[in-house]
Amino acid sequence: MHGLARRLHWRRGALAVTGLLAAGALVLAIERASGPWAWAAAVAMAVVLGLAWIELADLRATFRAHKLAMRGAHDGLWWWNPVTKRLWVGDRLLEILGYSDNFIADTHVWLHLVHPDDRGGYNRGVAQHLKGETPHFYHEYRVRAKDGSYRWIASRGEAVRNHRGRAVLMAGSVTDITARRQTEERIRTLAYHDQLTGLANRALLFDRLNLAIERVRRRGQGRIAVLFIDIDRFKDVNDVHGHEVGDLLLVELARRLRANVRASDTLVRQGGDEFIIVLPEITDSAGAAPVLDKVLQAVHKPIHVNGIELCMSASIGVSVFPDDAQDVPTLLRNADTAMYEAKHAGGNLARFYTHAMNDAVRERVNIEAGLRQAVARGELALHFQPKMRLGDSSLMGCEALLRWRDAEGRQIPPDRFIPVAESCGLIVPIGQWVADAALDQMLAWRSAGLKVPRVAINVSAIQLAQPGFAPLLLDALARRGLPNSLLELEVTESVFLHPEGAALEALRMLRSRGVRLALDDFGTGYSSLAYLGVQAFDTLKIDRSFVATADAPGQARSAAILRAMVAMATAFGMDVVAEGIERDAQRDALWRLGCESGQGYLFGAPMPAADFEARCLSARPPSGASLRVVKG
């Protein structure tokens, strides 16, 4: 097509010369109407007119050929005079735009049809080619069609220049590329947006956040807040109601979040139930507070999905540029860290990142890495703490407590590594090791001819919910020939999070087969009394926080609470064990309140199996009620 403009130009010139010759011959013929000049003029005019006719016919054929080629390729022709601004467009271009009449006479009419956002680029492309800065003109832009919609076209052309290099003609073709651009837009949307919610995805997040950081750096002022949002207990919705309800819930949450951010903010679905909001225009950290309140309220408002009312909450972590980090990955990581702090604090709240949080994260990472090798390296051990009858200090049983000395010989406290094990799933294999080790120790004591005490082990709700937990534990007891009643499982109120779940089913099965159950840390939760109506227990363990003030003077309220606990447990037919007894006065006070057994440093700290055997299993228990405590 680029050569067509050049050929048209030369043929127009040839026709002009031919026309001049014909006109000259005609003038001579008129002036000299007789004689040899008349014959010469007639012959010349006939030759000239014949040549002109041949040229015109060839030119028409060329036009028809090019028009057929363009129509076959679904392209349209155009030519333009850059001096007069006169524009000619072919029928195919009009057809692309849905127009029947050719009303496009000049540049001004055409530019009126070009999309406002594309006019600048179109004009620059034309100007560059007219100046000779580009070998040819090519530009993709949108043009308004007759129905008001915009069609994408690709326009290409080439200028014809005079001997001075000035463009005197520009001609070319256009192609309808609307379908291609729409396909590209769909691909781009899929690449940068979440398919479920339509929100931006992680790829677009990095792009937007990088641009926001560059703007702040150029200005030299301002802050950017990154909000990392995680929906609390979202997995429960999927587990109980199915993934369809979960997806609908996410769509509604996305809609609510979108309604609470500004047009300049970026809302992202990170994946699963995680969302991220970028606030690019705040003056300080406090500027994020109003958005945090809106988000928490929007999530917490009841949601109705498929006839189900869901009440959700969110944990939010906030990281601020440049205060907390200088790059995108670190900003996101710090916001994620702050979010986990919010979740560990109970959820439905927000936490701003602090550098101290990194120390905690680093510790959790190191603990998790060490725990993964602890079993194989033989770093875990069980210590046993006696449970004593308060009236005569006789042994009633013991609790097997997990201890870990890492590869560097450091003793890691249970309250530091147990939560990590639960959060990363290692509590399942570690819990299995604890059960096996406790049963093996019981078997060893029996093989040594010792009277085996009842041993209690702590079991998490995660372990109980594992498929086959109860049958496997019963099989382990049977293989060792141990009575089921010698084993007691201590659980906390976390097993009641799913009243109809696998954890409670496992407890019911084990209790029906004689394994004893103890409810640990009683009194520290929110619904302890209600729990006792859901699952039967053999033992109630009073938390050490209540025991600590049992012997304090003037603690009538504390004594009343302890007395009520003991009375309630007795009414349910449960034994009562008080934890954390450290002083004789605490033991005596608990005995007077009706508590018959307890454990704590007064009777012995958790100790290795050999020490427990030597101190508690080989010694002859005292006879009679040596404490001489009178119940009040």
Side-chain angles (χ1 to χ4, degrees), residues 24-65:
L26 181 59
V27 170
L28 288 173
I30 293 173
E31 289 181 351
R32 305 179 184 277
S34 62
W37 284 103
W39 283 103
V43 171
M45 189 162 64
V47 172
V48 170
L49 290 175
L51 291 174
W53 178 261
I54 293 171
E55 182 63 27
L56 285 171
D58 184 52
L59 189 59
R60 282 195 299 269
T62 301
F63 261 110
R64 282 196 300 270

Side-chain angles (χ1 to χ4, degrees), residues 541-578:
K541 299 192 73 175
I542 299 177
D543 186 72
R544 64 182 62 247
S545 61
F546 295 97
V547 173
T549 59
D551 60 337
Q555 291 292 324
R557 184 180 297 272
S558 177
I561 293 174
L562 286 170
R563 186 180 292 107
M565 289 182 181
V566 174
M568 180 187 61
T570 302
F572 278 104
M574 293 185 290
D575 296 332
V576 180
V577 177

Side-chain angles (χ1 to χ4, degrees), residues 34-313:
S34 62
W37 284 103
W39 283 103
V43 171
M45 189 162 64
V47 172
V48 170
L49 290 175
L51 291 174
W53 178 261
I54 293 171
E55 182 63 27
L56 285 171
D58 184 52
L59 189 59
R60 282 195 299 269
T62 301
F63 261 110
R64 282 196 300 270
H66 277 286
K67 288 180 71 175
L68 287 173
M70 291 301 102
R71 183 170 291 278
H74 297 287
D75 287 357
L77 291 170
W78 59 269
W79 66 261
W80 175 60
N81 187 323
V83 179
T84 66
K85 309 304 180 185
R86 173 73 177 171
L87 177 65
W88 176 88
V89 297
D91 294 340
R92 174 57 186 153
L93 177 54
L94 295 173
E95 181 183 328
I96 290 172
L97 300 176
Y99 298 111
S100 57
D101 298 326
N102 189 351
F103 64 95
I104 306 172
D106 55 31
T107 307
H108 301 296
V109 177
W110 180 251
L111 285 177
H112 184 68
L113 298 178
V114 176
H115 195 287
D117 295 341
D118 298 341
R119 287 173 192 163
Y122 171 80
N123 286 330
R124 283 192 297 273
V126 172
Q128 288 172 348
H129 182 58
L130 292 178
K131 294 176 184 177
E133 297 176 1
T134 57
H136 61 272
F137 167 74
Y138 181 84
H139 194 66
E140 296 182 3
Y141 56 103
R142 289 163 289 179
V143 181
R144 189 173 71 247
K146 185 177 181 179
D147 61 4
S149 66
Y150 281 91
R151 306 289 297 179
W152 277 98
I153 65 171
S155 182
R156 60 190 65 78
E158 187 175 347
V160 177
R161 306 177 187 279
N162 59 20
H163 65 282
R164 296 179 181 177
R166 183 182 181 185
V168 295
L169 178 69
M170 191 169 171
S173 63
V174 296
T175 304
D176 184 3
I177 59 169
T178 304
R180 191 201 83 195
R181 293 297 295 244
Q182 289 174 343
T183 300
E184 291 174 351
E185 183 61 30
R186 283 195 295 270
I187 293 173
R188 189 160 41 248
T189 298
L190 291 175
Y192 290 103
H193 291 81
D194 172 54
Q195 295 186 49
L196 177 65
T197 63
L199 300 180
N201 63 10
R202 188 175 176 84
L204 188 54
L205 166 68
F206 270 72
D207 183 64
R208 296 270 183 87
L209 196 46
N210 275 314
L211 289 175
I213 289 174
E214 288 304 315
R215 284 195 296 269
V216 170
R217 283 175 173 159
R218 283 196 302 268
R219 291 198 305 263
Q221 61 180 0
R223 296 288 186 273
I224 302 169
V226 176
L227 282 55
F228 199 114
I229 305 165
D230 184 89
I231 307 303
D232 299 328
R233 296 176 298 279
F234 177 77
K235 184 177 181 296
D236 295 347
V237 175
N238 279 338
D239 292 344
V240 175
H241 302 293
H243 288 276
E244 180 183 357
V245 171
D247 287 348
L248 293 173
L249 173 62
L250 290 173
V251 171
E252 172 59 18
L253 288 173
R255 186 194 66 78
R256 292 186 180 186
L257 293 176
R258 190 185 290 112
N260 285 280
V261 297
R262 304 166 299 181
S264 58
D265 302 333
T266 298
L267 174 60
V268 176
R269 184 187 175 210
Q270 161 99 338
D273 61 325
E274 295 177 343
F275 297 88
I276 294 175
I277 297 176
V278 178
L279 307 178
E281 299 174 2
I282 59 173
T283 55
D284 52 36
S285 300
V291 180
L292 294 174
D293 292 338
K294 290 180 182 178
V295 169
L296 290 173
Q297 291 175 17
V299 174
H300 196 56
K301 184 179 178 181
I303 299 174
H304 293 86
V305 179
N306 285 1
I308 304 168
E309 183 176 278
L310 300 171
C311 294
M312 309 302 296
S313 62

Side-chain angles (χ1 to χ4, degrees), residues 419-624:
V420 175
E422 290 182 332
S423 65
C424 69
L426 286 174
I427 194 66
V428 174
I430 290 176
Q432 183 60 53
W433 182 89
V434 168
D436 288 337
L439 295 180
D440 287 341
Q441 185 59 61
M442 294 165 68
L443 179 60
W445 284 331
R446 190 177 70 169
S447 300
L450 299 172
K451 182 179 180 180
V452 181
R454 178 180 297 124
V455 177
I457 61 174
N458 292 276
V459 181
S460 75
I462 299 174
Q463 290 175 262
L464 288 168
Q466 295 300 306
F469 173 83
L472 289 173
L473 184 59
L474 292 170
D475 181 65
L477 283 162
R479 281 187 284 105
R480 292 171 175 83
L482 296 171
N484 294 346
S485 58
L486 283 182
L487 181 65
E488 185 171 62
L489 303 185
E490 294 191 5
V491 299
T492 63
E493 294 175 357
S494 61
V495 298
F496 295 98
L497 291 178
H498 304 287
E500 303 302 325
L504 287 182
E505 285 300 319
L507 289 180
R508 294 181 183 117
M509 178 179 179
L510 290 168
R511 190 169 188 271
S512 69
R513 299 287 295 275
V515 176
R516 290 176 60 87
L517 304 181
L519 182 58
D520 200 6
D521 298 334
F522 183 77
T524 60
Y526 296 102
S527 305
S528 301
L529 294 177
Y531 295 156
L532 295 178
V534 174
Q535 171 65 48
F537 288 90
D538 301 287
T539 302
L540 187 70
K541 299 192 73 175
I542 299 177
D543 186 72
R544 64 182 62 247
S545 61
F546 295 97
V547 173
T549 59
D551 60 337
Q555 291 292 324
R557 184 180 297 272
S558 177
I561 293 174
L562 286 170
R563 186 180 292 107
M565 289 182 181
V566 174
M568 180 187 61
T570 302
F572 278 104
M574 293 185 290
D575 296 332
V576 180
V577 177
E579 296 182 289
I581 300 176
E582 298 180 354
R583 299 183 293 273
D584 289 335
Q586 289 175 332
R587 176 199 60 193
D588 296 346
L590 288 164
W591 174 257
R592 287 193 295 269
L593 290 172
C595 181
E596 295 192 352
S597 58
Q599 67 185 96
Y601 277 52
L602 176 65
F603 308 111
M607 62 195 81
D611 293 346
F612 180 81
E613 177 182 332
R615 292 184 55 182
C616 301
L617 299 186
S618 300
R620 181 184 299 277
S623 59

